[in-house]
Amino acid sequence: MRLLERMRKDWFMIGIVLAIAGAKLEPSMGVNGGPLKPEITVSYIAVATIFFNSGLSLKTEELTSALVHLKLHLFIQIFTLAFFPATIWLFLQLLSITPINEWLLKGLQTVGCMPPPVSSAVILTKAVGGNEGIVITPLLLLLFLGSSSSVPFTSIFSQLFMTVVVPLIIGQIVRRYIKDWLERKKPPFGAISSSVLLMIIYTTFCDTFSNPNIDLDKFSLVLILVIIFSIQLSFMLLTFVFSTRNNSGFTPADTVAIIFCSTHKSLTLGIPMLKIVFAGHEHLSLISVPLLIYHPAQILLGSVLVPTIKSWMVSRQKGVKLTRPTV
């Protein structure tokens, strides 16, 4: 199962490259008003499909039982939805005086606002043998960057409700009635969401390549790439230090969940959110670039670090067992 999931992720990253390349070759297909009609098919149908699919696949019963790890959830929520975006915001105040493209910097802030993905963080956590703990709060993006959108807040909120909340709830309701069938057949939820997401990415970059006024300099792109890898490594180290203090109260398995779930960010949620919040914005694709970089970067770093973290966790767990008094 892990191998199939990893192969799907590899193909998805290749799909992102192909989607952007396709938009470069034929941008007229996916622009607003073009044959694909993205203002309808993407802004409403595609986004709603992703979250209906999420509703069908979300195992609420497992989330309910996981609430026992209240301290773990609280740490992840505070780090992901408060410390992470606030730290990025402070960091961007320094970067704002550099020649880095301002829209890429705004995109870096959107990365900070994103919750962790159910897919990569959980898979890497399971690969090591840790616990799972993820809470998603997509409206954080509006708190930090709502004022940058060209769309009124009321319009953003209503579209979020209709294309995110409603499909998610409907998916959960439908799941209650076909739960046994879903468990038997195991539909390819991940493949469906990935395919729809590639369509969203394609149409987003179609708008960019059809606009001759938008230019992305390579210097800014390389710097953003270095910054993203540095942020991920720094935050993974920081969560490790916080969660392994003597008085933290976290087990080695909890630490693994904290490292991955607190630092990974959701592309599946992020791209549709940006499409809604920055609807019609000519720099939407540039704002999306840091998130598109962050996604494969977190998979790459996570995969490289899994053996080391697993070795550390096993040794710590053995140490705990050896120090337990015998009865």
Side-chain angles (χ1 to χ4, degrees), residues 122-150:
V122 172
I123 289 166
L124 290 168
T125 300
K126 284 183 175 178
V128 177
N131 299 330
E132 300 171 29
I134 299 174
V135 177
I136 298 177
T137 310
L139 290 180
L140 183 67
L141 182 63
L142 295 178
L143 177 64
F144 274 82
L145 292 168
S147 60
S148 299
S149 173
S150 58

Side-chain angles (χ1 to χ4, degrees), residues 138-187:
L139 290 180
L140 183 67
L141 182 63
L142 295 178
L143 177 64
F144 274 82
L145 292 168
S147 60
S148 299
S149 173
S150 58
V151 181
F153 179 80
T154 52
S155 177
I156 293 172
F157 184 80
S158 61
Q159 190 171 350
L160 279 173
F161 182 76
M162 293 304 298
T163 59
V164 176
V165 180
V166 172
L168 192 65
I169 293 174
I170 293 175
Q172 279 284 279
I173 294 173
V174 172
R175 177 181 172 80
R176 292 184 61 183
Y177 292 98
I178 61 172
K179 177 182 173 183
D180 293 337
W181 181 85
L182 291 174
E183 293 297 329
R184 288 198 312 272
K185 298 296 183 180
K186 299 187 183 301

Side-chain angles (χ1 to χ4, degrees), residues 51-87:
F51 287 98
F52 173 74
N53 190 46
S54 297
L56 280 178
S57 60
L58 187 63
K59 297 180 179 180
T60 314
E61 60 275 11
E62 291 186 3
L63 294 179
T64 303
S65 63
L67 288 177
V68 175
H69 303 284
L70 184 59
K71 185 177 180 179
L72 174 66
H73 289 298
L74 187 60
F75 182 96
I76 292 172
Q77 288 184 62
I78 293 174
F79 191 93
T80 306
L81 305 178
F83 182 83
F84 200 125
T87 303

Side-chain angles (χ1 to χ4, degrees), residues 75-120:
F75 182 96
I76 292 172
Q77 288 184 62
I78 293 174
F79 191 93
T80 306
L81 305 178
F83 182 83
F84 200 125
T87 303
I88 293 296
W89 183 84
L90 289 172
F91 185 46
L92 290 182
Q93 304 312 301
L94 297 175
L95 291 179
S96 63
I97 63 176
T98 67
I100 299 176
N101 186 290
E102 65 170 310
W103 300 105
L104 289 180
L105 294 181
K106 287 183 181 292
L108 203 55
Q109 182 66 72
T110 68
V111 170
C113 294
M114 292 299 146
V118 174
S119 54
S120 62

Side-chain angles (χ1 to χ4, degrees), residues 6-48:
R6 187 169 296 177
M7 289 176 62
R8 183 181 71 80
K9 287 184 175 298
D10 290 341
W11 280 110
F12 178 64
M13 285 186 273
I14 294 173
I16 291 176
V17 175
L18 292 176
I20 296 174
K24 175 67 174 178
L25 292 173
E26 191 55 58
S28 61
M29 287 288 292
V31 296
N32 284 342
L36 291 180
K37 300 292 182 184
E39 63 273 17
I40 298 174
T41 57
V42 171
S43 297
Y44 293 94
I45 299 174
V47 175

Side-chain angles (χ1 to χ4, degrees), residues 137-314:
T137 310
L139 290 180
L140 183 67
L141 182 63
L142 295 178
L143 177 64
F144 274 82
L145 292 168
S147 60
S148 299
S149 173
S150 58
V151 181
F153 179 80
T154 52
S155 177
I156 293 172
F157 184 80
S158 61
Q159 190 171 350
L160 279 173
F161 182 76
M162 293 304 298
T163 59
V164 176
V165 180
V166 172
L168 192 65
I169 293 174
I170 293 175
Q172 279 284 279
I173 294 173
V174 172
R175 177 181 172 80
R176 292 184 61 183
Y177 292 98
I178 61 172
K179 177 182 173 183
D180 293 337
W181 181 85
L182 291 174
E183 293 297 329
R184 288 198 312 272
K185 298 296 183 180
K186 299 187 183 301
F189 293 117
I192 294 171
S193 292
S194 294
S195 300
V196 176
L197 191 57
L198 288 176
M199 178 183 175
I200 297 175
I201 293 171
Y202 168 73
T203 57
T204 298
F205 278 86
C206 281
D207 286 330
T208 297
F209 293 128
S210 64
N211 188 341
N213 297 322
I214 296 179
D215 182 37
L216 175 60
D217 61 289
K218 294 180 181 178
F219 174 75
S220 292
L221 192 59
V222 171
L223 280 182
I224 288 294
L225 184 63
V226 172
I227 289 169
I228 284 174
F229 272 95
S230 300
I231 287 173
Q232 287 194 44
L233 284 172
S234 299
F235 280 0
M236 291 180 84
L237 178 61
L238 197 59
T239 54
F240 177 81
V241 171
F242 281 163
S243 59
T244 54
R245 293 177 302 168
N246 292 332
N247 59 345
S248 69
F250 293 120
T251 66
D254 291 338
T255 296
V256 172
I258 287 170
I259 290 173
F260 289 126
C261 295
S262 298
T263 59
H264 280 210
K265 296 294 182 177
S266 174
L267 181 68
T268 305
L269 176 63
I271 294 299
M273 283 293 130
L274 295 180
K275 195 74 175 178
I276 293 172
V277 175
F278 294 95
H281 202 295
E282 65 175 357
H283 293 98
L284 171 59
S285 61
L286 295 186
I287 296 172
S288 306
V289 166
L291 187 57
L292 291 173
I293 295 174
Y294 198 97
H295 178 75
Q298 69 189 11
I299 301 299
L300 177 62
L301 281 176
S303 300
V304 170
L305 292 174
V306 158
T308 302
I309 295 176
K310 184 172 185 177
S311 176
W312 169 84
M313 191 190 75
V314 171

